[in-house]
Structure formats: C-alpha cells, structure tokens
Amino acid sequence: MLSSQRPRATVRKAAAAACAAVTALTMAGCGSGGSDDASSSSGDEYSERGPVTYVAGKDTSGYVQDMLDVWNKKHPDEKVTFIELPTDADAQRQQMIQNAETESDAYSVLSVDVVWNAEFAANRWTEELPADEFPADEMLDPVVETGKYRDKLYSIPMASDGGLLYYRTDLLEKAGVDEPPTTWAQMKKDCTKIKKLPEAKGMDCYAGQFEKYEGLTVNFSEAVNSAGGEIVTDDGKAKIDSPEAKRGLDFLVESFEDGAIPKKAITFQEEDGRRAFQSGGLIFHRNWPYIYNLASADDGSSKVAGKFDVAPLPGLDGPGTSSLGGHNLALSAHAKNKATAVDFMKYFTSHASAKKRLDIASIAPPYADLFDDKAMIEQSPYLPELKQSILKAEPRPRVVNYGEATRAIQEQAYAALNGKKSTGQALAALQKELGKLISAR
C-alpha cells in the first residue's frame, strides 16, 4: 500500500450491496450538525472554496467514487474529482513529488503512505493541518503519530494497516496442527506435515511481497524487527549491520533456498500473493487485511472461502512484528480552495467513512473503538488480531529522505534474495548507504 492496494473484481457485489449504506453517509459524513459535519468552517487560515481533487492510487476496491458521489451531491459547487494514480506506491509517490516540485495546483488532497509524511512535510510539499478540527484523540496512538512531523499534524489518518498471517485452517486441522505457527521454524515444520496431504499437492508453503518495490521494504523490515533487529534507531542512527538483522534476512534468503518460499515469489506484490492464496496455491501468506473479504467471497472467485483464518506474523523466537502500514490524507501546499479541501478531508477521514470502508473492503480503520465493537468483530473476525498487529507494529525508517532510504533497502535486500550478495555483504552495504543518507540531512 503499498500499504495496501484494494482489488476490485471480487468486492463488486459487496460494494453494490453497500451502496445504499454509503448513501447514508450523506447525513453522517457531510450533513450539518454532528461530529462528521463537513460543512463547518476550516478556520481563518483558509477561506477559498470551490472544486478540489483527491489524488490516490488505483481504486481497486471500487468504493472511492461512491463516497465522492455522496460528497458531490451535497456540495455541487465544491465537487471533488478523483485523480487515480498507478497501483504501485513508488510510482504514486513520484507523481506527487513531481506535482509539488512544479508547484502545480492540479493536486489538492493527497492520499499518502504513512512513511511519506516526514519527507513531504520537510520539503513543504504539504501543509500543516488544523489539528483541533480532526478527532485524532479517538484514533489509535501509533496511527496518529504517523501524521506528525516535529510534533505538528501534517496528515490525518484515513486507514491504518498491519500485516497478518493468513493460513489454511482446513489443512492445518487435517494435518493435526492445533494452532497457527508463532515462529518461522514452526511454520516450516507445519508446512512439511501439510504438504504430505493429498489435498496439498502442488501447494507452496509461504509467500509475502518480494518484488523490488515498497512491499520488499515492508517484508524486509518485518523480518529484521521480528528477529530483534533495527534498521534506524529512535535517535536516527543506522543500525542494520547487526547479528539480529542478519538472522532476519537469513530467514528470507534461506526460505528461498530451501523452497519454503517459492522462487516465483521474488516477483510478488500484494495482488500476486493474494491471488496465489485465494486460488489455493499457498498454505501461509503474509498480507494486509484488505484481502480478508476477497478471500471470503462466496461467488466462486475464491477457493479458500471458509477455509482460512488469520494470526499474528511469526518471528524468530515467537510472534513477529508487523510494519506499520496505512494511508493518511495530506493537503498539497499548492492547492486551490483549501477550505473545501480541509472539509473534504474531515468527511473522508470521519468515523462514519472509516466504518464504511471497513464494511465494504475490510480496510483497517484508524478509530480505536471500531476494533472493539462486537458487531464489527462479528462481521470482521480478524479485528482483534489486527489491532494487536497495529499496536505492536514498528514504523519503517522515519527519515526525511525516505525515498532514497527505501530504494537502498530494496536494492540490497533484493541482491541478497537473488543470491548476488551474501546477507552479510548486503547489510554492510546498506549500513553504509543509510549512514550517508541520514548524515546528509
């Protein structure tokens, strides 16, 4: 989505069924009076009103335009136009940066990966938000922190995200495995048992996201953190060349070598893994919560509906650590009609809107109460595990020049996975590169 792209095809039915419910957001999300009121003043700083744009990655779940239609019907003179960028997170970031560097007013409200916040704010591509106009106190603390730069709010959470281990309950049960694995070694041991079953013929053990893009940074970070390592310390120093980090990268490299991770997974992004799991090709799969509804579809598109569950990611010696994912909304520094833009941001990040995204596309909300709501848990049983994943998650390196940092991580991790460098060589090179990038600021 990275942190989290949303497939369209298998949720059309759910999205259509929820259309009437989305319309209900007209009153809850943009009516007058109430906590989700999007017609309120944006303060004295912004006074211009009129049409704005919403810029985000490809809407593969199909919910965005429905929610924009709700806004546009109520605000005919302040319509929001959706500018749809590519699915790939790196391409989204690059296009947003290009727009900012040319000081174009084409982009108004930006859907940014949580790790872009510091970079965008430091470069003044986005503007500080009126923090008192957003209900940040109702959101999970780690999620709110992703929107801050130097203790000021520069983006407001729209959706959070934490990695989950999807696993085949039917196959584990048939192989006599009582619980999902909590360690990497146990996961491989379970795979050995399960692959002896006739039903598991031709299946692969495990896959995450290993193509050279942001997903690799996420999966590499999770492996390092789940082995007790760090990439960048809290005081901003590179610390990736360590025994702990090596054990994390060794797990990934050795899993490619021993077949626990299939060779083809070196090209996997989120959707590739989702399709592999949903078609019955994987026993275990690391992905975001968005695939839960898709894999549960009973329209014939999923071969694993009713046959899977989720658990925390496994680690070296016990449950692992997810990378903190999610998307926030930020205000382009060069946008026109900023008063409208801020009001739209309040509508699109409101409690009602977050609940609707969870209903339609299993998109993790930022609001704390939704994770504990009994009705929501009945509908989305993964919420307790997801909440723990988010609360225990580690952010990817919070560095101002994040673009260069993530490219360095991807380059060295990919070289190790492909056998072009040993894990020690890759981590030593990464330590040097990150050290230079951090000291350059």
Side-chain angles (χ1 to χ4, degrees):
M1 210 127 257
L2 182 108
S3 286
S4 317
Q5 304 306 323
R6 320 297 180 194
R8 178 190 302 271
T10 57
V11 293
R12 284 187 191 277
K13 183 176 179 181
C19 186
V22 172
T23 304
L25 286 172
T26 305
M27 292 298 106
C30 32
S32 59
S35 60
D36 294 327
D37 183 8
S39 299
S40 62
S41 170
S42 299
D44 296 332
E45 184 177 358
Y46 306 136
S47 59
E48 293 184 350
R49 293 190 171 276
V52 297
T53 59
Y54 170 60
V55 186
K58 186 174 178 60
D59 176 28
T60 48
S61 282
Y63 73 88
V64 171
Q65 192 57 57
D66 285 340
M67 297 185 76
L68 297 190
D69 289 344
V70 171
W71 168 277
N72 290 340
K73 184 176 180 180
K74 187 168 180 66
H75 303 83
D77 297 324
E78 301 175 73
K79 288 188 175 181
V80 179
T81 299
F82 183 28
I83 296 179
E84 200 168 29
L85 301 183
T87 301
D88 182 80
D90 296 331
Q92 296 168 27
R93 174 183 165 276
Q94 189 56 44
Q95 290 191 34
M96 290 180 185
I97 291 175
Q98 288 174 351
N99 183 81
E101 289 180 335
T102 59
E103 300 185 359
S104 169
D105 62 9
Y107 293 180
S108 305
V109 177
L110 310 176
S111 174
V112 297
D113 188 304
V114 293
V115 294
W116 303 343
N117 185 69
E119 179 184 24
F120 279 44
N123 285 286
R124 299 184 180 179
W125 296 330
T126 54
E127 292 201 353
E128 182 184 353
L129 298 176
D132 60 348
E133 296 195 28
F134 294 94
D137 60 332
E138 300 176 18
M139 300 178 178
L140 294 172
D141 289 340
V143 179
V144 175
E145 287 301 312
T146 66
K148 293 181 179 179
Y149 176 67
R150 294 185 174 177
D151 294 325
K152 295 182 179 179
L153 189 69
Y154 278 85
S155 62
I156 186 70
M158 176 188 70
S160 186
D161 242 343
L164 296 170
L165 181 71
Y166 290 77
Y167 66 95
R168 288 288 299 273
T169 53
D170 59 329
L171 298 180
L172 265 68
E173 181 179 355
K174 188 149 192 178
V177 179
D178 296 329
E179 300 289 342
T182 59
T183 67
W184 296 326
Q186 186 62 52
M187 181 172 69
K188 290 186 178 184
K189 184 178 179 181
D190 291 346
C191 280
T192 300
K193 288 183 179 180
I194 292 168
K195 291 181 76 172
K196 293 178 181 178
L197 299 173
E199 297 89 340
K201 183 178 180 180
M203 293 184 71
D204 292 309
C205 177
Y206 171 81
Q209 295 78 45
F210 305 111
E211 176 62 275
K212 194 195 293 185
Y213 79 118
E214 187 63 24
L216 178 55
T217 298
V218 168
N219 281 250
F220 169 80
S221 299
E222 289 175 344
V224 169
N225 292 326
S226 295
E230 295 178 275
I231 299 176
V232 176
T233 62
D234 290 340
D235 58 356
K237 295 179 181 179
K239 194 185 176 183
I240 191 59
D241 191 8
S242 69
E244 294 83 5
K246 188 176 186 302
R247 284 194 285 269
L249 184 54
D250 281 344
F251 159 68
L252 296 179
V253 171
E254 292 169 2
S255 295
F256 270 100
E257 292 175 348
D258 64 23
I261 300 176
K263 297 294 184 184
K264 61 187 175 184
I266 197 68
T267 66
F268 276 17
Q269 296 191 15
E270 280 86 356
E271 279 295 87
D272 304 292
R274 191 269 300 176
R275 285 190 288 265
F277 182 75
Q278 193 169 314
S279 65
L282 290 172
I283 299 168
F284 298 102
H285 179 44
R286 180 258 175 244
N287 214 320
W288 305 103
Y290 85 90
I291 79 166
Y292 193 96
N293 283 7
L294 297 167
S296 300
D298 58 4
D299 59 1
S301 61
S302 175
K303 293 183 178 180
V304 300
K307 301 177 182 178
F308 75 93
D309 205 344
V310 297
L313 297 175
L316 177 64
D317 299 316
T321 303
S322 170
S323 288
L324 184 59
H327 278 79
N328 298 351
L329 296 192
L331 177 62
S332 172
H334 306 292
K336 290 182 177 179
N337 302 320
K338 291 181 180 178
T340 296
V342 170
D343 280 349
F344 169 71
M345 293 168 73
K346 288 189 284 185
Y347 157 68
F348 213 61
T349 61
S350 70
H351 189 280
S353 293
K355 185 175 184 295
K356 190 49 56 186
R357 278 187 288 271
L358 177 59
D359 288 342
I360 295 173
S362 60
I363 296 177
Y367 290 91
D369 70 305
L370 290 178
F371 289 91
D372 302 319
D373 185 289
K374 291 183 178 179
M376 297 307 299
I377 293 174
E378 184 175 351
Q379 176 185 307
S380 304
Y382 58 87
L383 285 175
E385 287 80 7
L386 177 57
K387 181 180 180 181
Q388 291 306 308
S389 175
I390 292 171
L391 290 176
K392 295 179 180 179
E394 288 287 341
R396 283 160 279 168
R398 289 178 176 171
V399 294
V400 170
N401 45 358
Y402 182 77
E404 291 86 350
T406 189
R407 281 194 293 272
I409 291 170
Q410 293 165 30
E411 190 70 33
Q412 297 304 328
Y414 200 70
L417 296 184
N418 277 294
K420 294 182 179 179
K421 288 186 177 181
S422 69
T423 55
Q425 290 171 331
L427 294 176
L430 183 55
Q431 174 75 25
K432 186 178 294 185
E433 290 184 51
L434 290 179
K436 289 179 179 178
L437 288 171
I438 292 171
S439 62
R441 296 300 300 191

